[in-house]
């Protein structure tokens, strides 16, 4: 059983900010939001539409065999490809641009895996838009966690319950300095926070 996720900041406003990575003020982010659900003001429906777009319309670099390295949310959207962390950056940007608080969570699997948490209906729920290829099974659910990968403690895997307002520096540093090319993610992807 996963530990109960909890925010590392008591200020919901920290989970709505834009920065160089989560650039939710970018015109392409707002243009996409308008096409996902132009007339729906239900926050749950808007969050689910954003989740499904990132999960299904943005390829995971490993599944796609893509050599691109993306890390800024608007770049992930433009290229339509990213590793799990980059996809989490885009999902956070899409949610935050709509006034829905979103944060970042991590699992230590064979490498550090990135996912999101969203604040709706007075509580946090974790979402994993990694993409459902190669055995992953992430689904949109606010009631029960349906993450891409279950943590196997017997294999030394670990679930981090913290919900961070910003992506982990170790992840951003890695993505910003990674050299594009085949298998770029195998060359130093962090194993832990």
């Amino acid at each position: 059983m996963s530990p109960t996720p909890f925010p590392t900041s008591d200020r919901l406003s920290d989970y709505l900010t834009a920065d160089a990575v989560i650039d939710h003020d970018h015109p392409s982010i707002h243009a996409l939001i308008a096409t996902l659900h132009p007339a729906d003001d239900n926050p749950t429906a808007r969050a689910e539409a954003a989740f499904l777009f990132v999960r299904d319309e943005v390829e995971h670099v490993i599944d796609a065999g893509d050599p691109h390295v993306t890390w800024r949310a608007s770049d992930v959207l433009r290229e339509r490809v990213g590793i799990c962390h980059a996809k989490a950056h885009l999902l956070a940007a899409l949610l935050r641009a709509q006034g829905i608080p979103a944060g970042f969570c991590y699992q230590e699997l064979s490498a550090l895996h990135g996912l999101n948490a969203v604040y709706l209906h007075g509580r946090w729920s974790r979402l994993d838009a990694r993409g459902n290829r190669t055995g992953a099974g992430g689904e949109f659910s606010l009631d029960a966690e349906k993450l891409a990968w279950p943590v196997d403690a017997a294999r030394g895997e670990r679930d981090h319950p913290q919900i961070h307002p910003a992506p982990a520096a170790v992840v951003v540093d890695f993505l910003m300095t990674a050299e594009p090319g085949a298998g770029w993610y195998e060359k130093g992807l962090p194993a832990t926070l």
Side-chain angles (χ1 to χ4, degrees):
M1 185 170 166
S2 298
T4 302
F6 63 91
T8 59
S9 173
D10 294 333
R11 295 185 310 265
L12 275 180
S13 60
D14 289 348
Y15 296 91
L16 289 167
T17 61
D19 59 26
V21 179
I22 313 306
D23 59 339
H24 67 67
D25 49 356
H26 195 278
S28 66
I29 300 288
H30 289 277
L32 175 63
I33 289 168
T35 66
L36 290 177
H37 36 73
D40 196 340
D41 63 355
N42 178 322
T44 300
R46 290 184 291 148
E48 184 172 14
F51 171 85
L52 292 173
F53 176 85
V54 175
R55 187 194 69 186
D56 299 341
E57 302 299 326
V58 177
E59 289 284 337
H60 190 281
V61 294
I62 295 173
D63 297 341
D66 194 293
H68 286 91
V69 180
T70 55
W71 54 271
R72 182 180 292 113
S74 60
D75 294 340
V76 178
L77 177 57
R78 183 187 69 243
E79 299 296 332
R80 300 285 173 107
V81 69
I83 199 159
C84 59
H85 303 287
K87 292 182 72 158
H89 299 169
L90 176 57
L91 181 55
L94 292 171
L95 295 169
R96 290 179 181 191
Q98 300 177 82
I100 300 170
F104 302 92
C105 302
Y106 299 94
Q107 296 173 315
E108 292 178 19
L109 305 173
S110 58
L112 193 64
H113 176 60
L115 54 143
N116 297 96
V118 61
Y119 188 79
L120 285 167
H121 310 297
R123 65 185 175 88
W124 288 98
S125 301
R126 294 196 309 174
L127 301 173
D128 192 344
R130 183 244 181 248
N132 285 352
R133 289 176 53 188
T134 62
E139 299 294 334
F140 183 86
S141 176
L142 301 178
D143 300 319
E145 282 195 343
K146 297 183 179 182
L147 306 181
W149 308 109
V151 169
D152 185 350
R155 291 183 12 194
E157 297 176 347
R158 184 172 156 214
D159 209 342
H160 290 268
Q162 299 88 352
I163 304 167
H164 304 277
V170 66
V171 169
V172 174
D173 291 346
F174 168 72
L175 292 174
M176 288 177 70
T177 59
E179 293 290 330
W184 63 263
Y185 45 82
E186 296 171 353
K187 302 170 182 111
L189 184 64
T192 187
L193 294 175

